[in-house]
Amino acid sequence: MDKIKIAHGSGGQYTYQLINDVFVKHFDNPILKKKDDSAILPRKNLRPVFTTDTHVVKPLFFPGGDIGKLAVTGTLNDLAVMGAHPAWLSCGMIIEEGFAIDDLEKIVISMARTADEENVKIVTGDTKVIEKGSCDGIFINTTGMGHLADSINFGVNQLESGDKILINGNIGEHAAAIITARQNFDIRFKTQSDCACVYSLIEKLTDELENIKIMRDPTRGGLATTLNEFVMEQRVGIKIDEEKIPIREQIKGFCEPLGFDPLYLANEGKFITIVKDNEAQKALSIMKSHDLGQNATILGEVTSQNPGRVILKTTIGSTRVLDMMSGEMLPRIC
Amino acid sequence: MKYIDEFRNASIIKSIKNKIQTEFDGHPVNFMEVCGGHTHAICKFGIRDLLPQNINLISGPGCPVCVTEKSYIDKAVKLAKQKNVIIATFGDMVKVPGSQGSLKDNRQTPDNIKICYSPMESIQMSQENPDREIVFLAVGFETTAPAIASSVIQANKQSLDNFSILPGNKTMPAAMEALLQAKDVRIDGFICPGHVSTITGTGIYDFIPEKYEVPCVISGFEPVDIMATIYQLINQINTEKPKVQNQYKRSVRQEGNLKALRAIEQVFENSSAIWRGLGEISNSGLQLRPKYKSFDANKKFDIKIETLQDNSACICGEIMRGAKLPTDCSLFETVCTPETPEGPCMVSSEGACAAFYHYQK
């Protein structure tokens, strides 16, 4: 099987070949095909929105996705939760010498397909190859651009007591799939990453609702960390009802013996939305009628009590603080 | 059967809560949960929120990471720095601060410290890396001892000469007795560790009601378990008949797990042990029997170390004896956080300080 050589990143013949045979072939769009140093994008009369994200994941291929899909959905979702319509992507790759070209092509095909489904074009890129042992297979940076309608202005400063908090579905799925694949656990239920672009659902919400306060995707650090980010240094707090948090029994069962708390597990196809009280039910029904929101729930509300804090009403009727994740989650001894 | 749901059933908990409220006479009592798993569960489920004011739950020395002495971490760090050594360890050990930082701070190469769920994984590591020395950090109580013993037995069977353990296992009864004798704090009842008891059986606590007249209830880790345990303790106080009760019958048998006990007995013998915060307690540790001494990393490697004193303001010792609460510590939440733990109680999620930090601050 052909492997990536240092020469593939040197800028010469090999690089040219790799770009043509893999990247241009699959990303396939007129802007990229020009092979200019930069992509010139058409003018739009809307505010440009701009974000970047670097993706490192182990294993590179996991149930429900791969690093390529993740590199596209991750960046597009960062645009989407701002209410922005994603349009363009760049793709920067750092590849370890000796990486199988077949695997690279699989990853690129996955990126192309995911972007295509969202009608997003990958218009510029860069490839570097580094010596064997200097990185773990492949790292991918994607920068995304989108545009934002003037009517959309999310911000935590708009949160007020009574606002309702929604999530579009089950939590913990991505991290459980990654952990299972990484540790080679022999478990008897299917884990699958929820890795998906969420813009199509967000577009419906922004089209039909007037009072969306904020959205964010609870990736690393999970639901608990994102909720804390909303109220940190704010004059409001959040109260969450544990019973309303959508989570599969299997994921609960997976977390218990391993000592993980699903509220801190990463998600890749979920977003939290806070809306004004009077639009909560409408938001919920929009979510539930979309493929990406079938298990959506209203899981809590913004409160004037406990400013800066997230309080969890537990399933057993007690309350406690729900803190941010600190450090890395490590399995307990016993 | 959805095991978790049944033991987190709100209406059952409410009925136990009401019973406690009716039968508790209101005079202050201190119940110590010995096990770190209980400390974690009590905070996570907000159990204190459900109890009458004068029932105080105090945390004991049952978080395995917390009681591991600093010199042990220093030895592990020193070993980790040796070129051909791979340290295999349970997850939360990597964060415990030693004199020269934690294991995590001393990661030399991407693979010199490996986190395991089971000590058996370190046997596999030894087989797969014949040119490396694998050292498993043997910490924990009676709960982890059987699996560690089994790994030593396996290593012996397979004549694995690149496998060893750094012995640090501790046993509960002598530590509980030390707490009763120290009288730092009045203990009116013990919430006894469920997992330890699953291995040992119920007999190890008999001396507590007999000699000290303190009630003991072996408890499971779900909210229904803990509430029922507290109710049983109140009941024992009311009837003035201290005894050992087993609330966690679905896991704990009177005689314990005989196979596991045999493995411990085969590989380990009792020794005195130093408990971080409590000092040296005789008969509270496990060391390898002479037959298995070749698997003792202390023997295999030259690990002389110089251990520095803990931050003088850190009160982990008093917290582990139940004499103080994490919130009594001047370092809590300011200097000492889960990211930058000063003392071991802030490291593991089972440590009293970390549990308070995450769930109760």
Side-chain angles (χ1 to χ4, degrees):
Chain A
M1 193 192 290
D2 286 342
K3 306 265 187 203
I4 290 288
K5 301 183 175 83
I6 289 287
H8 280 117
S10 66
Q13 184 94 42
Y14 274 96
T15 311
Y16 187 78
Q17 222 168 23
L18 187 72
I19 288 174
N20 271 337
D21 296 353
V22 179
F23 296 105
V24 176
K25 178 177 162 195
H26 295 295
F27 292 159
D28 188 28
N29 63 73
I31 301 179
L32 183 68
K33 272 186 178 152
K34 283 186 182 166
K35 295 176 201 161
D36 287 335
D37 277 354
S38 303
I40 301 173
L41 306 176
R43 194 194 306 273
K44 275 262 179 189
N45 195 19
L46 288 166
R47 288 171 295 169
V49 183
F50 178 50
T51 188
T52 191
D53 207 342
T54 302
H55 302 267
V56 294
V57 63
K58 195 175 175 177
L60 297 174
F61 300 90
F62 48 84
D66 55 70
I67 189 172
K69 184 178 180 188
L70 202 60
V72 172
T73 58
T75 298
L76 296 188
N77 287 347
D78 282 347
L79 294 173
V81 292
M82 299 300 292
H85 186 296
W88 315 106
L89 273 177
S90 75
C91 166
M93 286 194 178
I94 296 176
I95 311 172
E96 186 182 10
E97 178 189 9
F99 193 75
I101 293 184
D102 278 358
D103 282 343
L104 175 67
E105 193 162 7
K106 269 189 222 159
I107 291 166
V108 169
I109 290 171
S110 172
M111 290 183 78
R113 190 172 45 223
T114 312
D116 198 46
E117 281 165 8
E118 297 299 305
N119 209 11
V120 166
K121 302 277 179 270
I122 302 172
V123 288
T124 185
D126 177 55
T127 310
K128 293 282 183 294
V129 178
I130 56 176
E131 280 170 18
K132 196 159 181 57
S134 306
C135 85
D136 198 358
I138 187 167
F139 299 158
I140 305 177
N141 171 275
T142 51
T143 292
M145 275 192 73
H147 21 262
L148 185 61
D150 288 340
S151 56
I152 299 175
N153 286 296
F154 301 158
V156 285
N157 54 344
Q158 296 169 41
L159 297 180
E160 53 190 346
S161 177
D163 290 347
K164 293 287 185 284
I165 302 162
L166 294 93
I167 187 154
N168 65 316
N170 296 348
I171 62 163
E173 302 283 344
H174 175 71
I178 293 289
I179 295 165
T180 308
R182 198 179 287 171
Q183 302 279 352
N184 232 339
F185 284 137
D186 180 20
I187 51 171
R188 289 185 198 139
F189 71 95
K190 210 173 152 203
T191 55
Q192 182 154 339
S193 168
D194 58 349
C195 178
C197 291
V198 293
Y199 181 67
S200 57
L201 173 53
I202 289 181
E203 189 180 28
K204 281 207 157 39
L205 293 167
T206 51
D207 281 353
E208 294 188 36
L209 303 175
E210 284 172 9
N211 287 299
I212 300 172
K213 303 295 183 80
I214 191 143
M215 289 181 178
R216 201 162 288 175
D217 48 342
T219 53
R220 283 175 305 174
L223 176 68
T225 303
T226 303
L227 291 171
N228 273 281
E229 284 167 4
F230 286 145
V231 291
M232 223 192 297
E233 294 165 31
Q234 298 297 316
R235 279 175 300 178
V236 289
I238 279 177
K239 189 163 184 181
I240 293 296
D241 191 345
E242 190 174 18
E243 224 161 41
K244 298 283 164 55
I245 299 173
I247 171 162
R248 272 200 302 154
E249 285 300 325
Q250 286 93 332
I251 299 292
K252 281 189 206 168
F254 169 82
C255 287
E256 278 292 323
L258 296 175
F260 292 122
D261 187 338
L263 301 185
Y264 295 93
L265 292 185
N267 309 281
E268 288 294 343
K270 297 293 157 348
F271 60 98
I272 304 168
T273 308
I274 304 186
V275 299
K276 202 175 164 81
D277 188 18
N278 61 3
E279 285 193 330
Q281 286 306 327
K282 192 174 174 188
L284 184 65
S285 63
I286 294 169
M287 284 188 179
K288 280 183 166 294
S289 62
H290 191 282
D291 280 351
L292 292 169
Q294 311 221 319
N295 295 315
T297 61
I298 299 173
L299 46 76
E301 63 180 14
V302 176
T303 60
S304 53
Q305 292 112 17
N306 301 301
R309 288 268 163 92
V310 179
I311 303 294
L312 183 79
K313 180 169 168 277
T314 68
T315 49
I316 65 165
S318 61
T319 57
R320 67 161 166 94
V321 169
L322 183 62
D323 200 14
M324 281 191 115
M325 183 159 95
S326 56
E328 60 188 299
M329 247 200 295
L330 290 168
R332 281 160 37 200
I333 289 183
C334 63
Chain B
M1 169 173 133
K2 285 189 195 163
Y3 142 78
I4 291 177
D5 290 354
E6 291 166 10
F7 292 93
R8 294 182 183 175
N9 181 305
S11 68
I12 298 174
I13 289 164
K14 202 170 171 197
S15 79
I16 305 172
K17 179 186 164 187
N18 292 340
K19 275 178 150 180
I20 292 174
Q21 245 148 9
T22 318
E23 296 187 28
F24 174 55
D25 67 8
H27 83 270
V29 289
N30 295 325
F31 294 151
M32 174 176 277
E33 83 274 2
V34 181
C35 175
H38 284 138
T39 303
H40 181 82
I42 286 165
C43 288
K44 183 176 171 191
F45 295 110
I47 299 289
R48 284 187 177 84
D49 202 36
L50 303 173
L51 297 176
Q53 215 179 12
N54 277 341
I55 298 180
N56 302 313
L57 300 182
I58 54 179
S59 306
C63 155
V65 160
C66 306
V67 295
T68 300
E69 67 275 21
K70 208 174 188 177
S71 59
Y72 184 93
I73 302 297
D74 292 344
K75 278 185 190 173
V77 165
K78 182 140 191 209
L79 282 170
K81 285 180 174 169
Q82 298 201 12
K83 210 177 157 197
N84 67 332
V85 170
I86 296 175
I87 297 284
T89 175
F90 294 124
D92 39 9
M93 280 295 284
V94 302
K95 284 201 292 183
V96 188
S99 305
Q100 313 287 331
S102 65
L103 280 166
K104 212 170 118 195
D105 301 332
N106 285 282
R107 209 169 255 172
Q108 306 285 305
T109 55
D111 71 347
N112 76 322
I113 295 162
K114 293 225 163 135
I115 290 175
C116 308
Y117 277 94
S118 159
M120 287 313 223
E121 289 173 47
S122 59
I123 294 291
Q124 202 184 335
M125 268 180 230
S126 304
Q127 293 160 338
E128 287 166 1
N129 299 278
D131 52 339
R132 304 280 293 269
E133 282 287 340
I134 313 298
V135 182
F136 184 78
L137 302 185
V139 297
F141 300 105
E142 289 90 335
T143 333
T144 61
I148 295 169
S150 302
S151 68
V152 173
I153 294 168
Q154 272 301 320
N156 191 46
K157 258 190 202 154
Q158 299 178 21
S159 308
L160 282 177
D161 56 6
N162 65 332
F163 170 83
S164 58
I165 67 167
L166 189 59
N169 272 92
K170 295 184 169 52
T171 52
M172 272 295 167
M176 290 167 80
E177 182 153 32
L179 287 170
L180 288 165
Q181 287 172 347
K183 293 187 181 154
D184 274 332
V185 60
R186 197 190 72 241
I187 298 169
D188 300 297
F190 277 116
I191 299 173
C192 294
H195 295 147
V196 165
S197 313
T198 304
I199 304 295
T200 63
T202 61
I204 60 165
Y205 314 107
D206 285 345
F207 73 96
I208 298 175
E210 280 164 20
K211 196 168 160 192
Y212 298 94
E213 297 184 345
V214 173
C216 288
V217 180
I218 297 165
S219 180
F221 295 85
E222 295 299 323
V224 166
D225 294 320
I226 298 169
M227 290 297 282
T229 295
I230 292 167
Y231 175 69
Q232 285 176 315
L233 286 171
I234 294 288
N235 216 274
Q236 285 197 40
I237 290 175
N238 286 347
T239 55
E240 295 179 14
K241 281 187 185 147
K243 57 186 168 191
V244 178
Q245 280 180 293
N246 180 9
Q247 182 279 329
Y248 198 28
K249 283 190 180 132
R250 65 185 185 278
S251 176
V252 177
R253 280 174 295 180
Q254 195 184 352
E255 70 279 13
N257 180 335
L258 296 175
K259 198 173 172 189
L261 287 171
R262 273 196 300 273
I264 300 177
E265 179 65 21
Q266 183 180 337
V267 173
F268 292 112
E269 58 190 7
N270 287 332
S271 67
S272 84
I274 302 169
W275 294 56
R276 200 163 183 170
L278 302 180
E280 188 167 355
I281 303 172
S282 62
N283 226 1
S284 72
L286 295 174
Q287 65 182 18
L288 285 165
R289 289 188 181 275
K291 183 184 170 189
Y292 296 102
K293 275 286 181 207
S294 59
F295 296 104
D296 187 339
N298 288 301
K299 295 269 176 297
K300 206 168 186 180
F301 302 93
D302 169 33
I303 31 180
K304 285 195 192 74
I305 40 119
E306 213 174 296
T307 294
L308 304 173
Q309 289 289 311
D310 281 331
N311 183 327
S312 59
C314 171
I315 60 164
C316 277
E318 285 153 287
I319 291 168
M320 278 186 271
R321 294 196 298 273
K324 290 210 168 143
L325 285 176
T327 41
D328 295 331
C329 180
S330 63
L331 306 177
F332 182 73
E333 257 195 279
T334 53
V335 178
C336 186
T337 67
E339 281 94 12
T340 55
E342 279 289 328
C345 296
M346 190 56 100
V347 174
S348 166
S349 58
E350 297 185 10
C353 295
F356 266 66
Y357 184 94
H358 288 301
Y359 300 126
Q360 294 205 199
K361 63 180 176 181

